[in-house]
Structure formats: C-alpha cells, structure tokens
Amino acid sequence: MKYSLPEHIIGHIFKELPPYAGLLCLQTDSLGTLLFWQGSWKHYFNIPPNKGADLAKIIPFLAGMFPLKTNTLQLQNLQLKENLWVDIHLMKDSDTSHWIFVTDRSEEIIKMQGLLQKVNEHQLQVNKPNLDEPCANPFGHLHLFQVATFEKLNNGTYKSIGEVPDWLITLRPEVAQKGENVHLGDNFPFLEIFESEIKTSDSIVTNHFFNSGIWIEADSLGNEYFLRAFATSFDDTEYLLIRMLNDDLLGEQDTMQKAREQQLAFENLAKAQKQLKELLGYKDMFVSIVTHDLRSPIASVLGATEMLTNDQHLMDQLDDFTKELMLGMREEMTRMLDYNDKLYHWSNLELGNFELVKENIEVDKLVKMIVQTFNSKLKKKDIHFSSTHPQNLKIKVDITLFLQALNNLVGNAIKFTPKEGKIQMLVEQDKRHTRITISDTGVGMDEEKAAHLFENTINKSTHGTQGEKGSALGLGIIKKIIEAHKFSIQARSKPGLGTQITIEM
Amino acid sequence: MIKKKVSMLGSFAVGKTSLVQQYVRSIFSEKYHTTIGVKIDQKIVIVDHQEVNLMLWDIHGEDDYQKVKPAYVMGSSAYFIVIDGTRRNTIETALELQEMAAKVSEGAPFIVLINKADLKEEWEVTETDIQSLKEKGMTVITTSAKDGFQVEEAFLKLSQQMMK
C-alpha cells in the first residue's frame, strides 16, 4: 500500500528536512531484493548499497522474513554491530513491494544497559564468589560451608587462606582481619588441647586427617557458636579447618537432650520404686509386729469368755439377754483371733519371712487333719464332707503352710455351702501332675469373678450362707502359699451351682 | 596476666554448667540444658594480690553417650569433681573421673563439690559417703548453684590451692 502523502511532501521529508537521526528507508520486492534506499546507509552498514542485493544478507535479522506474512512487523533492540542497536519496522506495501525502516536506538539502550549492569552486579556481588580468579584455598570455597581455613606456618602460627566465613568475622574479628601469624590457641583456647592431641595421634600421619571434639565459643552478645576443628595435611603443608556446626548440631543436641532427660526420668523412677518398696516393707513389718503383739491379749479374752460360756451352771443363771451377750462375745473374740492370725500370716508372707520346709506327707493324713479341724462346723451346718484319693499317695509340701491353705479353702467352702450341702475333696495323679480339687454345692459366684479370684491378694469380705463373717485375707494367704510352692490354683464356679477350686502340683 | 585452666568434671546433669554460670555471671536456670562438647568461660580474679584469668573448662557430662576425653583435662592447673547430692550414682562416675584427671593433670589440686544443697531433703548422698571421700584425702564442699551457697568460696579455695 502506498502512502497517500503527496509526492512533493514525501520529497520534502526526504530531501529538504534533515534526515531523522538514523532513519534509513529501504524498499524491497517480495523476496527481499533491494530496490530503493534513502537515509544514512553508512551509519548502519560497512558495505556500500547495491540495488538488487539480498537485504537478508546485509541485515541477517531479516533472514526468512520475505515475503512478509503480515502487513507490519516490528523488530526491537537488535544489535547490528558494537555499540549500535536498531529497531526495524517492516511494512507490506503490496505483493511486490515491502518497505523497511531502520532507526538507531543506541543512545537509549546504552543508558539502560549501564543501569541494568549496575543493578545486576549489585545483586550478584553479595553472594557471588569470585570464581573467575584462581581460588586461594586449595580445598575450594569452604567458607560457603561455614569453614575457616588456616595454613600452618613454620613458626607455629597460622595464616588465614581463602574467604573468611561470616561467623569468624563476628566471633573473632581480629583473627579474620589479621590474616597471618595468628596464634589460634590464644583466640580459641580449646585448640591448644587439640594441637597437643594432634602431636600424639597417628591419625594425621596415616589418614592425613584428624578432627576434634565439639567446643562452644560465645561472642560479646552471648551468642553461642558450636565449633569443630579438623587438622589435615596436603602437599607437605599442614592446615587447620574450623567449622561452625550450629545448624547441623540442632538435631543432634535435641537428641542428646532427650536421651539425657529420659535417663534422668528413669533414675527418678527407680528412686521412687525403691522408696515405695521400703515403705511397703515398713508397712508389712508394722502389721506383723502389731498382730504378733495383739495375739496374746485377744487369746486371753477369748479364753476367759470360753471358760465362762462353757460353765453350764453359770450360764443357766443368766438371763437370755446376758447369755446371748456372752455367746456373742465368744464368737466375736474367736473371729478376731482368727482374723489377727490371718493378718499375721499374711504380713509374714508378704515380707517373705518364711522358708518352705517341704516334707512328704500322705494325702490321707492331710484329709484327716482337715476333717478334725472342721468337724464341728460341718456338723453344725449338716454338710457332708467326702474325700477321694489314691491309696498311699504322698505329696511333698510345707505341711504347716499347705495345710493352712487347704483349711482356708475348706473353710470357705463350708461358709458358702447351705445346710445339708456337700463338699468333696478329690485328689488325682497323672504322669506330670497331682491335682487337688475341692468342690462344693454352695451358692457359687459369677464365672468372671471365679476366673479372677486369685489375682488380687486382698478381696472384699463377704458373709456366708448363715451370715458367717470372715476376713478379706484368706484368698491372699492361699495365693501366697501356692505361689511359694510354685503350684498353680484356679477356680471355676456358676451362681447357684457351687464352686470348684483346683490346685495343680 | 596469669592464665590458669580449671576443668569441671562430673557425670551428666550434676550442675557443672550451672556452677560456672553462677560463679561467672551470677545466673541460674532451672531448665536442664545438656552440654555438648566443651565450653570455656573466663573470669578474672585476685588471688593473693595477683590478677589471675581463670579459664573455666565446662566439659560435657560423662555418660554412655559422651565420654570425657583425657585430653580435655590436659594442662589443667586445677579441677572440680562435681557430684549431684540427689543422685548417689554420680559418686562412682566422679571417682572414675578423678582417677583419670589425677593422671593427666600431674597432681593438680582438686575439690569435690557435692552440688544441689538446696535439695537436701532429696539427697541420696549420705554423711557416711562424704566422710568416705574425706578419708581418701579429698576436700569436699557442698554447694548450690541455684542459690550460690558456697560457690564463690569453692572457687576461691581452689584458686588459692592452685597458686601455691
């Protein structure tokens, strides 16, 4: 498309007016062959203009542009040569004619470039190691890893090499500034020890490497720095590297802290356990002593009430109320003595104040002793007691303690069996075990309760079928005795269907 | 100015760091903060009219996780062996460390500190234990880093022994 400006105006623009600084107008055919030019050709190109020349060869940026696919196209900030930047505007005049306008943008771009260069350099300068220059530290840019590197000099002092990490500048500015002849031991007393360690260690000779323990330095503000030193040799020169570990150490310190806190917690727990054990011991000893001392006075009072109540002549002279009182007193004193005895036995068992003395005893003899003990109670409730056991069977037990356990079991059976009930003691033996089972036709208990009957040493006391009172200690005593013999005991029961207790030996 | 190295030795959590902090800065923290490695604090004192720069080496506690390296004690002019009065098991570690330190420091003077005197009701260390240490020829001082009880006195006494 031709411009609609009159020809003389165009002529005036091109001929009369000073050419636009740097404006170059070019006309080509559709293939980019130069047809016409107007403006400062020499300003842009070193070769003279030549009608018929391929413009793409003169301006390489235009390669592949012809014929133009669009009516206009603008290319900006193209560097034609050193210190020369241009904008190129392309316009499709017709299918056979293209116009190209070239303008000089150098002044603006050079100004912008200067500014951009300064901004970028400033940005880069903060963290940019001078990688263009040869590194002064033979181990590389270790300061980036918070490592200060020192070369050992012949006089025993040190020289700082390479870049200095920030922590050293903050912590020991005099060391960072001094550079040479640094007495590291004066600034880091810990290193005096490390250096003497190096002398006595083979590690640096064999491995060319030796590291110190961790030490802590503080700056003037009280900030702590965790440091570790490494001594090494390279190319016949000794070096000392000091690394700040603060970031790395947080996890390790946390772990160590938790481990030691846990250790202290365990120690406190052990202490508390020991105190508790002592207290329990004192408690059992107290109970043992008190029950022992109470036995005599209780037995005395019981003896007196028994004497009085056995005197039929005296009893006949009493009114019913007083008689009931006397009989009740005897019953309570009997129970109290029994309770006291049980408490005494229990406390001694808890203290471990016994030593099993095992002997062989015939089961038959044991049964007779039990029957003799409970004869009156059995008769009183009209309970039938029977025993089934192999003839001449013997068991090896501590007779006193084991009999006490059996008596407690039979006593409970009598307590919880109603009148005219049955109690059976069955002793069986196979190749591995001997079992004693005491069964009753008593009131029974929940299956769940029976399963856990011997788990606690102290249980709640319950009254018998005729209101018989007991203590809560009997089952605990049985459990202790059975455990001491290394036997086992279990109970099975159902409400209303009686109870079975089995001791397995 | 004379510089003297004084090492703090003992089991973990006996109060070595607390004793140093109390002596150098008159501060105390209830929170237990385990020491990793070695920390060196300094305090200038006057001992027998002489100015002495005490380099206090607060060495991490001895336990299964960190063992005290004999090298740390090297060059010590004196040392403290610290025991926690509420933990009797720290006596055994203390005696082991004293034995090591005696060899390394070539006869440098030392004092046994039984720390946490402010928790006397919780003490496991008994008078018999203390007597036993004294019978071994050790100087024993009970201290409390918490309230400063006998801390100044302990450091002064050791400094005087060191300067003899």
Side-chain angles (χ1 to χ4, degrees), chain A residues 81-94:
Chain A
K81 51 188 179 184
E82 196 175 329
N83 295 324
L84 180 63
W85 284 267
V86 298
D87 278 352
I88 297 178
H89 297 249
L90 296 100
M91 294 174 75
K92 192 174 177 181
D93 190 17
S94 69

Side-chain angles (χ1 to χ4, degrees), chain A residues 13-131:
Chain A
I13 290 170
F14 283 127
K15 290 173 185 177
E16 300 300 332
L17 292 177
Y20 174 73
L23 178 61
L24 177 64
C25 297
L26 306 167
Q27 187 188 20
T28 69
D29 64 12
S30 61
L31 296 176
T33 307
L34 188 62
L35 300 174
F36 170 75
W37 61 90
Q38 178 70 40
S40 180
W41 178 274
K42 284 182 187 174
H43 181 70
Y44 294 101
F45 307 114
N46 297 329
I47 56 170
N50 187 12
K51 190 174 175 181
D54 184 354
L55 193 61
K57 285 184 180 171
I58 299 169
I59 307 177
F61 295 107
L62 299 181
M65 293 286 185
F66 299 107
L68 277 179
K69 304 284 188 296
T70 58
N71 287 334
T72 60
L73 181 65
Q74 193 176 358
L75 305 172
Q76 289 179 306
N77 302 333
L78 308 174
Q79 187 172 15
L80 275 188
K81 51 188 179 184
E82 196 175 329
N83 295 324
L84 180 63
W85 284 267
V86 298
D87 278 352
I88 297 178
H89 297 249
L90 296 100
M91 294 174 75
K92 192 174 177 181
D93 190 17
S94 69
D95 289 338
T96 56
S97 171
H98 297 342
W99 284 92
I100 294 98
F101 300 98
V102 184
T103 57
D104 188 350
R105 297 286 314 239
S106 302
E107 197 178 326
E108 288 162 88
I109 285 177
I110 287 169
K111 272 184 196 168
M112 199 189 318
Q113 188 193 38
L115 284 169
L116 280 172
Q117 182 72 19
K118 278 181 185 169
V119 167
N120 289 344
E121 274 180 356
H122 179 73
Q123 290 280 60
L124 290 171
Q125 206 59 43
V126 177
N127 292 318
K128 181 186 164 194
N130 191 355
L131 298 172

Side-chain angles (χ1 to χ4, degrees), chain A residues 451-463:
Chain A
H452 299 289
L453 196 65
F454 294 102
E455 280 180 10
N456 298 319
T457 53
I458 298 174
N459 296 279
K460 274 176 75 175
S461 169
T462 47
H463 290 179

